[in-house]
């Protein structure tokens, strides 16, 4: 189900719920108001009828008048009253029916309680108000009324006599009833109108929800189209537009772009891993072929030349040992190169450079006690954010490379000078040796993998300076080869990101 349909259904459902609640409330309030209005009419009717002058007139004439006018209209005691002759009214004295107006229902056999009640008779429902009152003897009423009419006594005097009379002989029952059919008809009409309004409201809300959903989903539709373009493209550097209007959609576009960036980095890392794996396989196949072939040749020599003397056999064994050492060195270098290609920023840590370089120098001097290594550090040695094993590999290879090549071409002894300084938040390390040096035309080539200089000794795999270049690049630095003051090689290593 699409989001647009869901919005439409949700809005329609909410509208229907609101219409139902509002309709029910209006229906109940209307029903209560109608009942209250009817009850008020019944109350007024019985109140008017039960007043003594009116009741006397009704009893005497046994009928209702629209207007009860007195002969002396100027007399303030005569008050114009109005009775609702359309409300069926019933007056009974004990068992004698005094008056039952037209339309009054037959409640024979039905006990009607005092006050308001709902009575059903002959299939019709009525709202009934019942009231009782006590009046004086009818003959006394007539005598006083005759005296008032003849003028023997005043109206006020006659009313006073009626009020003060203690000859109460009759209990009067007065009832007024209104048929509830009008209420039911009104409520039925109201219900029909409410249902009609509700249906129209739901239809209108559904149309409005559909249009609203279309409007709201336009930015998402554009975002989906752009995302589809990116999906169909093999280039993960493509990005979706992040200017769609609503902040929520723009946030979603930014998150998609962030996800694409992470995917791009992940894909790049995967490509690099595959490239490194292929390169490692190719390098292993290329570099191991020569030493393995040489070892096989040396192993075959005793079989071919069975008359070899002891000194020749020892020479063959020494060659095998050298080839074996070269093979191990090559494998270790390839392993370190592959690990360096796959290194991540998470392995970096704070390193005290002074302690690191001092430990490397100490290890190298243990291997070659005759090598003289001088170290000059700044007064405040820096802390590096670096990969410890990578830093150790970098400087150990530079120093070891200087030792190997300087020893093979120098009879006076090997001397290596190391100068360290901090320049503009960069660490600069200069390492000079007194070896044969590297011709200027070869200085950029020898830092490539499996490239050895023309002045290099026979020992080595051609990976030492390649490892140095790799680690410098991993740490965001660089290495340059120059000529040292002593005619040997100067390695200038610059590593940024110094923690002071």
């Amino acid at each position: 189900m699409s989001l647009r349909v869901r919005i439409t259904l949700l809005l329609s459902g909410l509208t229907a719920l609101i219409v139902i609640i509002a309709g029910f409330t209006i229906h109940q309030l209307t029903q209560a108001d109608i009942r209250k209005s009817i009850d008020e009419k019944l109350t007024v009717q019985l109140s008017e009828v039960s007043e003594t002058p009116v009741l006397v007139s009704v009893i005497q004439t046994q009928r209702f008048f629209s207007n009860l006018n007195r002969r002396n209209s100027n007399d303030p005691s005569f008050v114009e009253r109005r009775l609702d002759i359309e409300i069926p009214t019933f007056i009974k004295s004990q068992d004698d029916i005094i008056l039952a107006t037209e339309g009054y229902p037959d409640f024979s056999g039905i006990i009607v309680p005092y006050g308001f009640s709902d009575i059903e008779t002959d299939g019709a429902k009525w709202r009934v108000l019942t009231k009782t009152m006590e009046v004086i003897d009818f003959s006394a009423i007539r005598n006083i009324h005759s005296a008032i009419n003849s003028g023997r006594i005043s109206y006020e005097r006659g009313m006073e006599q009626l009020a003060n009379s203690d000859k109460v002989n009759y209990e009067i029952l007065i009832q007024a009833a209104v048929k509830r059919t009008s209420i039911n008809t009104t409520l039925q009409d109201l219900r029909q109108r409410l249902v009609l309004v509700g249906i129209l409201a739901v239809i209108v809300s559904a149309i409005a929800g559909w249009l609203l959903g279309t409007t709201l989903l336009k930015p998402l539709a554009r975002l989906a189209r752009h995302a589809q373009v990116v999906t169909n493209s093999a280039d993960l550097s493509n990005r979706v537009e992040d200017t769609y209007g609503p902040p929520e959609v723009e946030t979603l576009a930014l998150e998609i772009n962030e996800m694409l960036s992470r995917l791009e980095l992940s894909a790049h890392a995967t490509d690099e891993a595959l490239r490194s794996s292929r390169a490692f396989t190719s390098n292993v196949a290329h570099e191991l072929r020569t030493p393995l072939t040489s070892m096989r040749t040396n192993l075959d020599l005793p079989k071919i030349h069975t008359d070899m003397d002891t000194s020749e056999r020892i020479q063959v064994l020494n060659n095998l040992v050298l080839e074996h050492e070269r093979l191990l060195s090559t494998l270790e270098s390839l392993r370190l190169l592959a690990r360096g290609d796959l290194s991540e920023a998470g392995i970096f840590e704070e390193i005290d450079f002074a302690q690191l370089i001092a430990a490397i120098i100490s290890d190298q001097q243990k291997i070659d006690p005759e090598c003289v290594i001088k170290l000059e550090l700044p007064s405040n040695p820096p802390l590096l954010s670096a990969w410890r094993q990578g830093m150790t590999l970098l400087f150990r290879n530079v120093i070891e490379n200087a030792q190997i090549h300087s020893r093979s071409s120098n009879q006076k002894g090997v001397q290596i000078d190391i100068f360290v300084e901090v320049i503009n938040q960069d660490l600069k390390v200069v390492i000079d040796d007194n070896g044969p040096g590297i011709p200027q035309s070869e200085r950029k080539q020898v830092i490539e993998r499996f490239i050895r200089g023309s002045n290099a000794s026979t020992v080595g795999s051609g990976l030492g300076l390649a490892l140095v270049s790799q680690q410098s690049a991993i740490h965001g630095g660089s290495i340059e080869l120059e000529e040292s003051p002593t005619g040997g090689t100067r390695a200038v290593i610059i590593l940024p990101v110094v923690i002071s």
Side-chain angles (χ1 to χ4, degrees):
M1 184 182 296
S2 68
L3 184 58
R4 182 185 306 168
V5 174
R6 293 182 181 182
I7 293 175
T8 302
L9 293 178
L10 178 62
L11 193 57
S12 301
L14 289 176
T15 303
L17 180 61
I18 293 172
V19 168
I20 291 173
I21 295 175
F24 178 78
T25 304
I26 293 173
H27 181 274
Q28 294 300 108
L29 292 176
T30 303
Q31 185 178 18
D33 287 343
I34 294 175
R35 173 170 290 192
K36 182 178 179 182
S37 176
I38 292 176
D39 289 349
E40 288 177 352
K41 289 182 178 181
L42 293 174
T43 301
V44 171
Q45 181 78 348
L46 259 64
S47 178
E48 295 286 342
V49 172
S50 62
E51 290 189 8
T52 301
V54 177
L55 183 59
V56 170
S57 176
V58 170
I59 291 174
Q60 286 181 344
T61 60
Q62 295 189 349
R63 62 176 297 188
F64 282 159
F65 291 95
S66 174
N67 291 291
L68 298 177
N69 296 323
R70 299 305 178 206
R71 289 177 299 177
N72 186 4
S73 59
N74 294 325
D75 189 342
S77 63
F78 293 118
V79 182
E80 182 184 73
R81 304 180 184 278
R82 298 186 62 86
L83 298 176
D84 192 346
I85 61 177
E86 294 182 357
I87 297 179
T89 305
F90 176 82
I91 301 176
K92 183 176 73 169
S93 173
Q94 295 182 353
D95 294 330
D96 297 327
I97 299 177
I98 298 175
L99 177 67
T101 63
E102 183 180 357
Y104 194 83
D106 182 11
F107 291 145
S108 301
I110 300 176
I111 299 176
V112 181
Y114 296 117
F116 288 103
S117 59
D118 292 317
I119 305 298
E120 184 174 356
T121 179
D122 297 332
K125 295 181 179 179
W126 295 82
R127 182 69 170 168
V128 182
L129 176 59
T130 304
K131 180 180 179 180
T132 61
M133 62 182 298
E134 294 177 340
V135 297
I136 62 177
D137 183 73
F138 291 149
S139 60
I141 294 175
R142 285 193 295 270
N143 291 334
I144 294 173
H145 184 67
S146 176
I148 292 173
N149 290 335
S150 63
R152 294 195 303 272
I153 61 174
S154 66
Y155 179 78
E156 290 83 0
R157 180 61 179 169
M159 292 300 101
E160 183 179 353
Q161 290 180 6
L162 288 174
N164 296 329
S165 177
D166 56 355
K167 298 179 180 180
V168 179
N169 299 312
Y170 295 99
E171 182 181 77
I172 301 299
L173 175 69
I174 306 175
Q175 289 180 341
V178 174
K179 202 171 186 179
R180 292 179 57 89
T181 305
S182 59
I183 302 176
N184 296 334
T185 302
T186 303
L187 293 178
Q188 184 177 2
D189 292 340
L190 177 62
R191 285 193 293 268
Q192 290 176 351
R193 287 181 173 85
L194 288 175
V195 170
L196 180 60
V197 171
I199 293 174
L200 291 177
V202 171
I203 294 174
V204 171
S205 66
I207 296 173
W210 184 268
L211 297 177
L212 179 62
T214 302
T215 303
L216 292 178
L217 293 177
K218 280 184 179 179
L220 288 177
R222 290 199 302 268
L223 179 59
R225 288 195 298 270
H226 284 258
Q228 186 65 33
V229 171
V230 174
T231 302
N232 295 333
S233 174
D235 186 7
L236 290 176
S237 63
N238 290 332
R239 296 292 182 269
V240 298
E241 294 183 7
D242 55 5
T243 55
Y244 289 93
E248 294 80 4
V249 180
E250 290 184 359
T251 301
L252 178 60
L254 291 175
E255 291 296 329
I256 292 176
N257 286 336
E258 182 66 23
M259 179 186 67
L260 288 174
S261 298
R262 291 194 297 268
L263 288 175
E264 183 180 10
L265 291 176
S266 177
H268 178 72
T270 302
D271 291 341
E272 287 295 319
L274 291 174
R275 184 189 61 80
S276 176
S277 177
R278 295 189 187 99
F280 179 81
T281 304
S282 176
N283 293 336
V284 167
H286 177 269
E287 291 302 313
L288 297 188
R289 183 181 297 108
T290 300
L292 289 175
T293 302
S294 177
M295 292 176 69
R296 178 60 183 269
T297 301
N298 287 323
L299 289 173
D300 288 340
L301 284 176
K303 295 180 182 180
I304 299 173
H305 303 283
T306 55
D307 56 344
M308 292 177 62
D309 55 21
T310 303
S311 60
E312 291 176 338
R313 292 179 182 274
I314 292 175
Q315 181 64 36
V316 170
L317 292 176
N318 289 335
N319 290 338
L320 284 172
V321 171
L322 290 175
E323 293 296 336
H324 179 261
E325 291 178 353
R326 180 183 176 185
L327 182 63
L328 291 179
S329 176
T330 301
L331 287 174
E332 179 64 14
S333 297
L334 289 172
R335 183 187 71 81
L336 294 175
L337 278 171
R339 183 174 182 183
D341 287 339
L342 299 176
S343 62
E344 299 177 354
I347 62 177
F348 281 45
E349 59 180 305
E350 289 187 4
I351 298 174
D352 187 334
F353 179 76
Q355 294 181 357
L356 178 73
I357 195 68
I360 294 173
I361 291 174
S362 176
D363 292 340
Q364 293 303 120
Q365 285 185 324
K366 289 178 182 178
I367 297 174
D368 188 1
E370 296 181 357
C371 177
V372 178
I373 302 177
K374 296 181 180 180
L375 174 63
E376 184 177 344
L377 291 170
S379 58
N380 186 21
L383 293 176
L384 293 181
S385 176
W387 176 29
R388 182 177 296 275
Q389 185 174 354
M391 281 288 99
T392 301
L393 178 65
L394 189 157
F395 290 104
R396 186 186 66 195
N397 274 18
V398 174
I399 296 173
E400 189 178 73
N401 194 71
Q403 286 177 315
I404 293 174
H405 297 294
S406 297
R407 186 186 305 110
S408 63
S409 61
N410 201 323
Q411 302 297 327
K412 298 179 181 180
V414 178
Q415 180 173 340
I416 300 174
D417 298 323
I418 302 175
F419 175 74
V420 182
E421 63 179 334
V422 178
I423 303 176
N424 297 329
Q425 298 299 309
D426 287 339
L427 179 68
K428 181 178 181 181
V429 183
V430 179
I431 301 177
D432 292 331
D433 64 42
N434 59 348
I438 302 175
Q440 185 175 359
S441 59
E442 299 177 2
R443 289 173 187 169
K444 291 185 178 181
Q445 299 176 1
V446 294
I447 61 176
E448 300 294 332
R449 300 181 182 187
F450 306 112
I451 302 298
R452 304 175 70 240
S454 58
N455 294 334
S457 65
T458 57
V459 180
S461 61
L463 294 174
L465 291 178
L467 284 168
V468 173
S469 176
Q470 180 201 57
Q471 291 302 320
S472 298
I474 290 174
H475 289 82
S478 63
I479 178 173
E480 291 185 4
L481 299 179
E482 302 174 358
E483 184 178 352
S484 70
T486 59
T489 301
R490 164 174 286 185
V492 180
I493 302 170
I494 297 178
L495 297 172
V497 191
V498 176
I499 304 176
S500 56

